[in-house]
Amino acid sequence: MSPADSSSRRPPSQLPEADGDFYQFAKTLSDDDNAIRLKVRTFMEEQVQPIISGFWERDEFPFELLPGFKALAIAGLPYRGYGCAGRSTTLLGFVMMEMARVDASMSTFFGVHTGLAMGSIYLCGSEEQKQRWLPSMAAMEQIGSFALTEPDVGSGTAGGLTTTAKREGDTWILNGQKKWIGNATWGDLTIVWARDVDDGQVKGFIVQNKSAGFHVEKILHKMALRVVQNGLITLTDCRVSESDRLQNANTFKDTARVLAMTRAGVAWESVGCARGAYEHALRYAQRRMQFGRPIAGFQLVQDLLFRMLCNITSSQAVCVRLSQMQDQGLMRDEHASLAKGVCTVRMRETVGLARELLGANGILLDQQVGRFVADAEALYSYEGTREMNALIVGRAITGFSAFV
């Protein structure tokens, strides 16, 4: 019997583990940080994995998981003070990857709350606003949303925002609509970005979701991130106190500071999504029998797995370095944009290859991979399309802006 024939008959217990961390990037973390990563992994594998496909299929959020999320104590992970852990953004990246490795909807829920909503207050809020809001958000006693995108304004928010803010004394009157706003149907507060009708500049507001004039309608019939509850927000003479205007958000450049920070997180999410699909596909290949042997022993199948692993490994290398630059204060918009653009492209290819490996079984929720294929489409588009990120990078490397 040849060595190849012998290995094809190994019992599953002797096969290599399906692990997408081929270059052992996790070992770059300190012991304390790695313990947090492993705690998140255990929660995702033991609490989320067994139930998430059902919630995905029903287009529902698993509220029963919120106590477990709170117990992880990772909301606002990289922020210092205000009840936050003050850890590195590199650790946050690994956490985002571990979540997306099991379910991209849950990582998106977490990213919206901890990155976009808390991040807006942390970067653009006054000290009083940080003290008022961040501790309860860090404890996940209040859940936040981030409302920038509009029904007819996607990538053009910098110059085309139609939601308006009009100041009357110590009150601002908000009017307009926001679309695709994650967590908005059930959360507690939303960071709303609107254009000041007097000076034309974009400003941010902390709006409590139960405010008069704040109405949310759940977006139905989604094919991706179905666990995330996205809302269409309609603001009709919604009154917000000047004390709830983000005091350090006075132009779209301040909004962009938040987006650059969270765009790095989406790059990490895309690695997690690709890795989850790859690991499911590898385990499938190790046990799926065809022509009397596991398909993992066929050359073309191994080529698919090789291509997937190449994408994941190179993307994670980009993300690790990006987060190191972020921790060192070196990251600029173009760095985050390059990572988001390239990692989501590679993710999209990787989940497609995973589905290809599974054949017809790849479209079944029972096999998990189909969920990653669908969710990858949303990650590919949100927080800056590939095209917009290409133009941000292009402007940085050429010195010429191609934006219109």
Side-chain angles (χ1 to χ4, degrees):
M1 182 179 291
S2 69
D5 292 335
S6 176
S7 64
S8 70
R9 300 179 185 275
R10 283 187 199 166
S13 61
Q14 295 180 11
L15 293 172
E17 180 184 359
D19 183 3
D21 190 6
F22 197 63
Y23 276 13
Q24 302 179 26
F25 288 109
K27 291 187 176 180
T28 64
L29 295 173
S30 69
D31 290 343
D32 287 346
D33 283 356
N34 199 45
I36 294 173
R37 179 188 70 85
L38 291 174
K39 183 171 64 172
V40 173
R41 169 175 283 205
T42 298
F43 172 75
M44 294 300 297
E45 290 183 343
E46 294 183 357
Q47 303 298 318
V48 180
Q49 179 68 57
I51 66 171
I52 199 63
S53 288
F55 282 92
W56 193 96
E57 187 171 24
R58 295 190 300 272
D59 190 16
E60 297 174 356
F61 186 87
F63 292 102
E64 65 198 65
L65 294 175
L66 285 179
F69 261 104
K70 293 178 182 179
L72 292 173
I74 54 173
L77 190 64
Y79 311 140
R80 299 191 180 277
Y82 317 106
C84 302
R87 297 285 183 165
S88 67
T89 54
T90 300
L91 174 59
L92 177 63
F94 275 93
V95 165
M96 295 292 286
M97 181 185 67
E98 290 290 353
M99 289 185 182
R101 173 179 167 269
V102 172
D103 182 64
S105 289
M106 298 310 294
S107 65
T108 298
F109 146 71
F110 177 76
V112 169
H113 172 71
T114 202
L116 290 169
M118 292 184 69
S120 294
I121 298 172
Y122 187 76
L123 291 178
C124 301
S126 66
E127 182 61 28
E128 180 181 356
Q129 289 170 330
K130 295 175 188 178
Q131 294 285 355
R132 177 185 177 189
W133 296 105
L134 290 180
S136 61
M137 295 177 77
M140 298 189 77
E141 294 169 354
Q142 296 195 87
I143 300 299
S145 302
F146 179 91
L148 176 63
T149 304
E150 298 179 351
D152 296 318
V153 182
S155 297
T157 52
L161 212 60
T162 62
T163 298
T164 60
K166 174 66 176 177
R167 185 166 184 174
E168 295 183 358
D170 288 334
T171 301
W172 291 82
I173 313 299
L174 305 183
N175 283 282
Q177 283 192 316
K178 298 293 183 177
K179 193 172 183 180
W180 303 113
I181 312 307
N183 306 345
T185 63
W186 61 276
D188 301 289
L189 60 104
T190 300
I191 307 300
V192 175
W193 299 92
R195 187 171 298 282
D196 186 342
V197 298
D198 292 325
D199 65 12
Q201 297 296 329
V202 173
K203 293 179 170 62
F205 301 86
I206 305 169
V207 184
Q208 298 186 61
N209 291 12
K210 293 182 179 179
S211 301
F214 185 99
H215 174 74
V216 185
E217 178 183 353
K218 178 180 175 179
I219 296 175
L220 302 173
H221 314 304
K222 295 188 302 173
M223 63 162 278
L225 298 181
R226 289 172 56 81
V227 174
V228 178
Q229 303 299 287
N230 294 96
L232 172 66
I233 297 174
T234 301
L235 299 156
T236 307
D237 293 332
C238 183
R239 303 176 71 86
V240 182
S241 170
E242 164 64 11
S243 63
D244 286 330
R245 179 182 67 82
L246 291 175
Q247 297 299 301
N248 297 312
N250 299 302
T251 71
F252 188 77
K253 289 182 178 179
D254 298 312
T255 318
R257 290 168 56 208
V258 180
L259 294 175
M261 176 182 67
T262 56
R263 191 166 287 149
V266 181
W268 275 103
E269 276 189 279
S270 67
V271 176
C273 182
R275 185 172 167 182
Y278 161 79
E279 291 176 0
H280 281 296
L282 175 52
R283 283 189 289 268
Y284 178 89
Q286 289 172 326
R287 68 176 184 268
R288 168 68 165 163
M289 302 295 292
Q290 196 76 106
F291 305 111
R293 61 188 295 188
I295 64 172
F298 293 121
Q299 291 181 355
L300 293 179
V301 170
Q302 291 191 1
D303 181 64
L304 291 175
L305 293 166
F306 168 79
R307 291 163 63 190
M308 285 186 263
L309 188 58
C310 286
N311 283 342
I312 294 164
T313 304
S314 57
S315 293
Q316 191 168 354
V318 168
C319 287
V320 169
R321 179 55 189 151
L322 177 70
S323 290
Q324 290 172 345
M325 293 176 71
Q326 195 171 1
D327 287 328
Q328 295 164 2
L330 300 175
M331 187 190 81
R332 297 191 299 271
D333 287 355
E334 57 266 29
H335 298 133
S337 290
L338 179 67
K340 199 278 180 177
V342 70
C343 291
T344 53
V345 167
R346 289 172 179 167
M347 166 199 64
R348 209 180 189 195
E349 179 185 36
T350 300
V351 299
L353 294 173
R355 198 227 54 88
E356 181 180 341
L357 188 152
L358 268 68
N361 285 332
I363 68 172
L364 294 174
L365 278 180
D366 293 347
Q367 299 293 343
Q368 308 294 329
V369 169
R371 177 163 51 84
F372 289 93
V373 172
D375 289 346
E377 289 303 303
L379 297 182
Y380 180 71
S381 296
Y382 76 51
E383 292 249 15
T385 62
R386 187 202 63 79
E387 292 81 2
M388 292 300 291
N389 282 308
L391 295 182
I392 293 172
V393 174
R395 180 177 59 192
I397 63 177
T398 65
F400 294 95
S401 175
F403 289 98
V404 295

